[in-house]
Amino acid sequence: MPLVSMRQLLDEAAKGGYGVGAFNVNDMEQIQAIMAAAKETKSPVIVQASRGARAFAEDLYLFKLIQAAAELNPDIPIAMHQDHGNSFETCKSAIELGYTSVMMDGSLKTDGKTPSTFEENVEVTRRVVEYAHPRGVTVEGEIGVLGGVEDGHGAGGSGLDHITDPDQAVEFAERTGVDALAIAIGTSHGAYKFTKKPDGSVLKMDVLIAIHKRLPNTHLVMHGSSSVPKDLQDVINQYGGKLKETWGVPVEEIQLGIRNGVRKINVDTDNRLAITGAIRKVFAESPEKFDPRDYLKPAREAMQKVVALRMTQFGQAGHAGDYSPIPITEIAKGYADGSLVTRPLVAAK
Ligand code: G3H
Ligand code: 13P
Ligand code: ZN
């Protein structure tokens, strides 16, 4: 099956009332783990690459691997997405490569660290939409700023520093025409999200619900949505790792989000933890081993397990065969003739 528009995946998810996991990749083993999980659970899937991933793997290696995944899995709809594009040029280069979806994260300036102004965010995001839609490519924007990750993409600090304002979310969706909207409700990237299990007072689910009420047809995106499970932390620490005690986003909160308009859920850290734990275990238990396959295979299996579980928890499992992919050229026509709506439905306060 050719790569699919993320808009189509999310529109179908909205019809079915489920969420779709967007899993980050940097290499072949991670792509294989996701595809094995998608096959096992019969799930449509979003595969995403950050700027760091594209640089690490070199664009063409990574994109050809995704094409191989699509060719080898003709029954699985796959959208290939640029995660946290920092500029128009980053998004344009992803589209030129063949990505079917891009995130223009204009919540931060091009350095990927400094919060931008609302007007700067609107302007760059709208420019990306104007370039992407005539090519049938989906655009995700972000309003509000996530916390975490000092060396990669992220403003650092707590996820509670720049919570999305619902009025701004409405104005942003209206002025940009994005297909999906990432909002900040207190999550952050990386393993260190919360120092205790977050309850309703920590994670701003009320803000998410308020935004969904105002924008009932807009696909919402939750970033920083790894759950950082204790069992994965324990494996790492049992085999010589030094993770400090930490909590992620409880799956029940994500499921509450899915019942309130969340259609895309970004997960990277949980897979990083699973891979690292599996590799550490082999190194600790079998120090005589030196064939990379001896530790990459268990690492790939550990990631498959996490991804398959999330696919089931998010509700996308079983939905791979629900629909046939619309060619990207047809999606482009849909944007042009207005059958693919980009002007959000806005409900009164
Ligand atoms: O945005 C965060 C993702 O986990 C990607 O992280 O920029 O280190 O590849 P990265
Ligand atoms: P985590 O660090 O919680 O996995 O978040 C990943 C993410 O949001 C990628 O954009
Ligand atoms: Zn993110």
Side-chain angles (χ1 to χ4, degrees):
M1 184 182 290
L3 294 173
V4 174
S5 144
M6 187 171 87
R7 170 68 184 263
Q8 190 189 4
L9 286 195
L10 301 186
D11 283 352
E12 291 292 339
K15 276 189 226 157
Y18 58 89
V20 184
F23 303 100
N24 288 75
V25 295
N26 300 270
D27 59 28
M28 180 183 75
E29 288 76 9
Q30 289 181 306
I31 294 170
Q32 289 174 322
I34 294 168
M35 294 320 301
K39 204 166 167 178
E40 180 191 331
T41 60
K42 299 187 173 50
S43 298
V45 68
I46 301 163
V47 177
Q48 59 187 10
S50 66
R51 281 187 297 135
R54 286 178 57 187
F56 170 78
E58 295 183 46
D59 269 338
L60 206 53
Y61 280 119
L62 201 56
F63 192 69
K64 295 274 180 191
L65 286 167
I66 297 295
Q67 283 180 320
E71 222 174 287
L72 290 167
N73 295 277
D75 301 330
I76 306 287
I78 310 170
M80 184 61 206
H81 176 76
Q82 164 77 59
D83 191 24
H84 293 285
N86 65 325
S87 64
F88 173 82
E89 288 70 27
T90 298
C91 294
K92 181 170 180 270
S93 69
I95 294 169
E96 282 167 351
L97 262 173
Y99 282 44
T100 55
S101 181
V102 293
M103 176 188 194
M104 178 59 237
D105 181 359
S107 72
L108 299 174
K109 291 184 187 282
T110 46
D111 65 4
K113 298 198 183 316
T114 316
S116 60
T117 66
F118 179 72
E119 287 302 324
E120 284 168 337
N121 191 359
V122 167
E123 195 182 311
V124 69
T125 307
R126 191 170 50 201
R127 194 170 159 223
V128 170
V129 170
E130 281 164 7
Y131 182 81
H133 282 179
R135 293 163 176 80
V137 172
T138 311
V139 181
E140 173 186 338
E142 175 163 328
I143 181 76
V145 180
L146 262 79
V149 183
E150 300 285 358
D151 342 326
H153 186 100
S158 154
L160 295 165
D161 292 345
H162 304 273
I163 298 293
T164 304
D165 167 29
D167 288 332
Q168 277 202 341
V170 170
E171 190 183 336
F172 184 81
E174 284 185 311
R175 288 177 60 191
T176 58
V178 288
D179 302 282
L181 185 61
I183 55 171
I185 53 161
T187 66
S188 39
H189 291 121
Y192 298 104
K193 301 183 195 302
F194 306 108
T195 49
K196 63 180 176 79
K197 186 173 176 191
D199 55 23
S201 66
V202 176
L203 222 73
K204 303 290 177 203
M205 298 310 288
D206 53 332
V207 172
L208 185 149
I209 292 167
I211 295 170
H212 177 55
K213 282 206 173 114
R214 300 286 310 282
L215 294 169
N217 291 350
T218 298
H219 303 313
L220 301 180
V221 183
M222 275 176 73
H223 280 249
S225 290
S226 278
S227 300
V228 196
K230 178 131 181 14
D231 57 332
L232 295 183
Q233 298 178 41
D234 286 348
V235 176
I236 291 181
N237 286 340
Q238 184 185 342
Y239 295 105
K242 282 200 166 46
L243 292 176
K244 289 174 278 177
E245 195 173 41
T246 178
W247 277 265
V249 182
V251 169
E252 315 84 77
E253 300 292 340
I254 297 172
Q255 290 168 333
L256 172 64
I258 293 169
R259 291 195 293 279
N260 287 281
V262 171
R263 298 292 159 235
K264 174 173 181 273
I265 305 104
N266 282 20
V267 174
D268 186 0
T269 296
D270 284 351
N271 293 324
R272 292 176 171 184
L273 294 172
I275 289 169
T276 300
I279 291 176
R280 278 193 173 279
K281 186 167 189 288
V282 174
F283 284 175
E285 288 180 347
S286 314
E288 74 288 357
K289 291 201 164 152
F290 59 89
D291 180 340
R293 289 170 297 192
D294 288 336
Y295 51 86
L296 292 179
K297 192 163 178 283
R300 189 170 61 186
E301 285 163 1
M303 174 161 163
Q304 177 184 342
K305 217 167 130 194
V306 172
V307 174
L309 180 62
R310 294 289 175 266
M311 286 171 160
T312 306
Q313 292 165 328
F314 299 161
Q316 72 208 81
H319 288 287
D322 288 0
Y323 49 92
S324 323
I326 302 169
I328 290 294
T329 46
E330 290 304 308
I331 295 279
K333 283 185 201 156
Y335 284 124
D337 67 21
S339 53
L340 273 179
V341 177
T342 52
R343 193 152 179 86
L345 175 70
V346 181
K349 273 200 213 178

